Amino acid sequence: MTDFSVTKAQFDLPEGMIYLDGNSLGPLPKAAKSRVAQTVSDEWGQMLITGWNKAGWMAQPTNLGDRIGRLIGAPTGYVVLGDTLSIKVYQALAAAVDLVPDRKVILTDSGNFPSDIYMADGLIKALGRGHELRVVAPEDIENAINDEVAVLMLTQVDYRSGRMHDMANLTAKAHSVGAVTVWDLAHSAGALPVDVMGCNADFAVGCSYKYLNGGPGAAAFIYVAPQHVENCQPALSGWLGHEAPFAFDLDYRPGTGIERMRVGTPPVIQMAALSAALDIWDTVDMGKLRAASIELSERFIKGVEATCPMLTLASPRDPEQRGSQVSFAFDQGYAAMQACIARGVVGDFRAPNIMRFGFTPLFIDAEDVDQAISIIADVMQNKLWNSPAYQARSAVT
Amino acid sequence: MTDFSVTKAQFDLPEGMIYLDGNSLGPLPKAAKSRVAQTVSDEWGQMLITGWNKAGWMAQPTNLGDRIGRLIGAPTGYVVLGDTLSIKVYQALAAAVDLVPDRKVILTDSGNFPSDIYMADGLIKALGRGHELRVVAPEDIENAINDEVAVLMLTQVDYRSGRMHDMANLTAKAHSVGAVTVWDLAHSAGALPVDVMGCNADFAVGCSYKYLNGGPGAAAFIYVAPQHVENCQPALSGWLGHEAPFAFDLDYRPGTGIERMRVGTPPVIQMAALSAALDIWDTVDMGKLRAASIELSERFIKGVEATCPMLTLASPRDPEQRGSQVSFAFDQGYAAMQACIARGVVGDFRAPNIMRFGFTPLFIDAEDVDQAISIIADVMQNKLWNSPAYQARSAVT
């Protein structure tokens, strides 16, 4: 059984801070410090070029991919790490449209993360084959799945509201009309149990610096379903996705299975931090995590609503329809969040008016939630946000 | 004046190893250890999400890009860091073909690094507009530049032989027929003076883990000439290349200038190592570096040829036509290199028969070269490579 007091002790959390932003950037696993130092000093420093074999750097993208695979219901050998989430979206979508060459519609919703939409837009322009990116409201997505659709591309959990799509049902509906699916798990992996195989998802992508705690700029991952992986012609056909990268042939031949989704040299030092984070994840039961996450977020909603009537819940009230975050709408949300942060409750703000709080049982417990509620109540009841210092916006929020 | 005994002291080099493979993976700058530790513990650990502003993570790709820019002759504001070299090749090439829409030939040579060719191949397939990748021998490249060519895509220094293209002349010839150029500087940046502005190069890309010593998996860079940068419609249109990433608009609008070549979240921990490496580069005069590099490689060729008649020089004899590496051809090259490595002289092997040695004045001096010659002479004269242990190939060489 997962003991979250044990996992909490494995993170370095700043004194006096209640960090409800693990949905944006996870905190530092204590072991990452020595793991990264070891990779830098003992591996890079002492092994130099031989580290690619001796220290296992070359195999890390699939080794770490498999460990993430367990958290999202992927079988061994179908997840690989690399690049950034935007690049992985591009790879997945390019492969997906190829599987349904006679249709031109890529369907998504307006709650998708903008970069996914931008990458789709760039791919469509590059392809120049008349594909259409059809963007509908999240609540209209199910009805919009029809036999014009080539690819259904969705982020499972909305980054603003935490609203969660029903991955199994939407995937089944997509398949029933002959479409394939690309799921972005940025706010799902490490947040709740995901079952890409059980849902029959075709492609899935995600990042590892949010709930997975891989560190700022940690690499992304991609899953390709077993029935598709050998049929994908990679659009980003880099040498490390080649069947024999070190033969240095001039002709590209895709590697076996998921290896073909590799592109260039993997970020070895970043991967060291992620491997330390995954040591913690290896001990976690995702069902227990989900139960704890719901308990914490329900407690938070109840406490905030009881004390802050000026905040409007912007997340689904039903926990079954919510990821692992809770959002409240407030017109002065930016300033209010700055005031909370100044008092040690760190969430974040998303335009136009969303105050976002992430619940991450690995290092947040009920006592943290109660303290956070009391600080937020103080900020809201006493209008502590009403200070010029909190109104001035920085570039990154 | 650059003092290379001072720069040498700034690297952690394994005791008893003569590392002639800095052209493949540069060694560890001593300062990278504390810099990375600081980024992990003090920035990620203590600042968490606020590190994007407070620690300057978000600005690192352009800040580090500008420091690399000085080494390649780029003006401030036209180089940005991110992703891997293969991705940057894709971005540059996609933008380049768009600039010459009425032509279909992408011209390159068979000495180009295979991944550049693979990425071009993938782009051509994705575009589906009948582009042709025309691959000629390196010595035929100049004559192959004609008015069918849309883009001349070359790696300046051949990864196998060290043969160097004349970037200024070939760029001028390309422009004279109305083509644009994409230069891969993987074996040029930090190896010799490069002048992208003086050569009037249109696009240039490179990696930072070879001569630049940024660490395994360090990010790549891209330069776009001032006259093109505002006209480029990024094919990989990620959110951090958006004009206002944190407005989370659904429509992509490219960012100002080189910012548009950013894609996703930058690798913060990798960048910390690179920033320590660039502290050393900031002190280096590239003219002095080139003089020292030529002196070392000439000394090496002379010494090896005097003692090892069975080795055939596979690099240009004229140092003006060579990068900062020296290659010898030998049928048993793989085993011979293993025997050298076992005795502390670390170069590498490239199929089919190339023994490759990199000369990096920042941490290799004349004494190292003399010791290397004597060890190589021992291996070759006494056929020490003739052992089964050295014949067995590992996956990565």
Side-chain angles (χ1 to χ4, degrees):
Chain A
M1 192 194 291
T2 312
D3 180 343
F4 294 114
S5 68
V6 171
T7 61
K8 183 169 184 168
Q10 291 175 278
F11 287 92
D12 238 359
L13 298 164
E15 198 60 35
M17 184 190 288
I18 300 167
Y19 191 64
L20 304 180
D21 210 10
N23 52 311
S24 188
L25 175 67
L28 171 64
K30 287 177 181 167
K33 290 185 280 189
S34 54
R35 188 73 54 85
V36 169
Q38 181 193 338
T39 296
V40 169
S41 298
D42 303 346
E43 297 178 8
W44 176 16
Q46 294 300 307
M47 299 179 188
L48 285 148
I49 191 68
T50 64
W52 288 109
N53 285 322
K54 273 193 204 160
W57 298 341
M58 200 47 93
Q60 279 282 62
T62 42
N63 289 344
L64 299 183
D66 282 336
R67 295 169 73 188
I68 293 172
R70 185 188 74 85
L71 307 178
I72 62 165
T76 299
Y78 294 94
V79 176
V80 70
L81 204 79
D83 308 295
T84 63
L85 179 49
S86 295
I87 296 292
K88 293 299 164 203
V89 166
Y90 191 87
Q91 287 183 290
L93 188 58
V97 298
D98 264 3
L99 291 176
V100 194
D102 52 325
R103 297 189 191 178
K104 299 297 179 197
V105 174
I106 298 166
L107 178 65
T108 190
D109 73 44
S110 54
N112 204 345
F113 189 67
S115 200
D116 295 32
I117 290 176
Y118 304 158
M119 294 304 287
D121 192 53
L123 178 65
I124 287 171
K125 285 202 180 100
L127 294 174
R129 292 176 210 156
H131 282 90
E132 172 201 343
L133 182 63
R134 190 172 291 171
V135 185
V136 304
E139 58 273 22
D140 296 334
I141 201 77
E142 187 170 350
N143 286 331
I145 300 172
N146 60 37
D147 63 9
E148 291 180 333
V149 176
V151 182
L152 174 66
M153 176 184 92
L154 292 173
T155 295
Q156 187 189 15
V157 176
D158 186 296
Y159 74 106
R160 279 195 177 103
S161 68
R163 184 263 316 127
M164 181 162 59
H165 278 309
D166 184 333
M167 195 166 150
N169 278 350
L170 292 177
T171 301
K173 176 136 192 216
H175 289 169
S176 76
V177 300
V180 297
T181 55
V182 174
W183 286 99
D184 180 338
L185 305 177
H187 292 267
S188 309
L192 42 95
V194 179
D195 187 2
V196 289
M197 272 293 273
C199 292
N200 212 6
D202 301 283
F203 300 87
V205 295
C207 67
S208 68
Y209 53 77
K210 296 178 183 289
Y211 291 94
L212 296 179
N213 311 310
F221 64 85
I222 184 167
Y223 161 79
V224 182
Q227 68 271 25
H228 298 311
V229 74
E230 297 293 345
N231 304 323
C232 291
Q233 190 64 34
L236 300 175
S237 42
W239 72 307
L240 290 185
H242 192 280
E243 190 182 63
F246 291 89
F248 299 106
D249 295 333
L250 292 186
D251 293 319
Y252 181 76
R253 299 186 308 279
T256 308
I258 196 69
E259 291 277 351
R260 70 186 58 193
M261 288 299 174
R262 295 177 69 159
V263 183
T265 306
V268 171
I269 307 176
Q270 296 283 155
M271 292 192 302
L274 177 59
S275 86
L278 290 175
D279 286 352
I280 303 176
W281 279 109
D282 286 348
T283 69
V284 175
D285 175 299
M286 295 305 286
K288 302 273 180 212
L289 180 92
R290 179 64 171 159
S293 153
I294 289 178
E295 200 178 305
L296 294 173
S297 42
E298 291 284 284
R299 187 183 190 99
F300 182 74
I301 292 171
K302 193 175 158 198
V304 170
E305 291 195 325
T307 53
C308 307
M310 63 295 279
L311 296 183
T312 308
L313 184 67
S315 297
R317 191 165 294 279
D318 177 0
E320 297 301 327
Q321 295 181 30
R322 207 168 59 212
S324 200
Q325 69 175 77
V326 171
S327 299
F328 283 97
F330 180 57
D331 280 349
Q332 292 286 337
Y334 180 83
M337 185 54 83
Q338 299 308 308
C340 290
I341 291 170
R343 284 156 185 81
V345 175
V346 178
D348 61 20
F349 173 79
R350 284 294 175 260
N353 66 345
I354 295 294
M355 298 172 70
R356 192 170 72 153
F357 303 92
F359 295 90
T360 46
L362 259 53
F363 56 88
I364 290 293
D365 58 25
E367 197 185 321
D368 295 324
V369 169
D370 290 345
Q371 277 185 35
I373 293 164
S374 125
I375 289 168
I376 295 167
D378 182 37
V379 165
M380 299 310 301
Q381 288 168 8
N382 299 304
K383 297 190 180 177
L384 299 179
W385 48 264
N386 197 8
S387 147
Y390 299 141
Q391 312 275 336
R393 302 215 178 181
S394 58
V396 186
T397 57
Chain B
M1 191 192 292
T2 311
D3 179 344
F4 293 114
S5 68
V6 171
T7 60
K8 184 170 185 168
Q10 292 175 278
F11 287 92
D12 237 359
L13 298 164
E15 198 60 34
M17 183 190 289
I18 299 167
Y19 191 65
L20 304 180
D21 210 9
N23 52 313
S24 189
L25 175 67
L28 171 64
K30 287 177 181 167
K33 291 186 279 190
S34 56
R35 188 73 54 86
V36 169
Q38 181 193 339
T39 296
V40 170
S41 297
D42 303 346
E43 295 178 10
W44 177 17
Q46 293 299 307
M47 298 179 189
L48 286 149
I49 191 69
T50 65
W52 288 108
N53 285 322
K54 274 193 203 159
W57 296 342
M58 198 49 90
Q60 279 283 63
T62 43
N63 289 343
L64 299 182
D66 282 335
R67 295 169 72 188
I68 292 172
R70 185 187 75 85
L71 306 178
I72 62 165
T76 299
Y78 293 93
V79 176
V80 71
L81 203 79
D83 308 294
T84 63
L85 179 50
S86 295
I87 296 291
K88 293 299 166 204
V89 166
Y90 192 87
Q91 285 183 292
L93 188 58
V97 298
D98 264 3
L99 290 175
V100 195
D102 52 324
R103 298 188 190 177
K104 299 296 180 198
V105 174
I106 298 166
L107 178 66
T108 190
D109 73 42
S110 55
N112 203 344
F113 189 67
S115 200
D116 295 32
I117 290 176
Y118 304 157
M119 293 305 285
D121 192 53
L123 178 66
I124 287 170
K125 286 203 179 99
L127 293 175
R129 293 175 210 156
H131 283 90
E132 173 201 342
L133 183 64
R134 191 172 290 172
V135 185
V136 304
E139 58 274 22
D140 297 333
I141 200 79
E142 188 169 351
N143 286 331
I145 300 172
N146 60 37
D147 64 10
E148 290 181 331
V149 176
V151 182
L152 174 66
M153 176 183 90
L154 292 173
T155 294
Q156 187 189 14
V157 176
D158 187 295
Y159 75 106
R160 278 193 178 104
S161 68
R163 183 262 317 127
M164 182 161 59
H165 277 309
D166 184 333
M167 196 165 149
N169 278 351
L170 292 177
T171 301
K173 174 132 193 221
H175 288 170
S176 76
V177 300
V180 297
T181 55
V182 174
W183 286 98
D184 181 338
L185 305 177
H187 293 268
S188 309
L192 43 93
V194 179
D195 187 2
V196 290
M197 272 294 274
C199 292
N200 212 5
D202 301 284
F203 299 87
V205 294
C207 67
S208 66
Y209 54 78
K210 294 176 184 291
Y211 291 93
L212 296 179
N213 311 310
F221 64 85
I222 184 168
Y223 161 78
V224 181
Q227 68 271 25
H228 298 312
V229 73
E230 298 293 345
N231 305 323
C232 291
Q233 190 64 34
L236 300 176
S237 42
W239 70 308
L240 289 185
H242 191 282
E243 190 182 65
F246 291 90
F248 298 107
D249 295 333
L250 292 186
D251 293 320
Y252 180 76
R253 299 187 306 278
T256 307
I258 197 68
E259 291 277 352
R260 70 185 60 193
M261 289 298 175
R262 295 177 69 159
V263 183
T265 306
V268 170
I269 306 177
Q270 297 283 154
M271 292 192 301
L274 177 59
S275 86
L278 290 174
D279 287 351
I280 303 175
W281 279 110
D282 287 348
T283 69
V284 175
D285 175 301
M286 294 305 288
K288 302 272 180 214
L289 180 94
R290 177 65 170 158
S293 152
I294 289 178
E295 201 178 305
L296 294 174
S297 42
E298 290 285 283
R299 187 183 190 99
F300 182 75
I301 292 171
K302 193 174 159 201
V304 171
E305 290 194 325
T307 52
C308 307
M310 63 296 280
L311 296 184
T312 309
L313 185 65
S315 297
R317 190 164 295 278
D318 177 0
E320 297 301 327
Q321 293 181 31
R322 210 168 55 213
S324 199
Q325 69 176 74
V326 171
S327 299
F328 284 97
F330 180 57
D331 280 348
Q332 292 286 337
Y334 180 84
M337 185 54 82
Q338 298 310 307
C340 291
I341 291 170
R343 283 155 187 81
V345 176
V346 178
D348 60 21
F349 173 79
R350 284 293 174 261
N353 66 345
I354 295 294
M355 297 174 70
R356 192 170 74 152
F357 302 92
F359 295 90
T360 45
L362 258 54
F363 56 88
I364 290 294
D365 57 27
E367 196 185 320
D368 295 324
V369 168
D370 291 346
Q371 278 186 36
I373 293 165
S374 121
I375 289 169
I376 294 167
D378 182 37
V379 165
M380 298 310 301
Q381 289 167 8
N382 299 304
K383 298 192 180 175
L384 300 180
W385 48 265
N386 198 7
S387 146
Y390 299 141
Q391 312 275 337
R393 302 216 178 181
S394 58
V396 187
T397 58

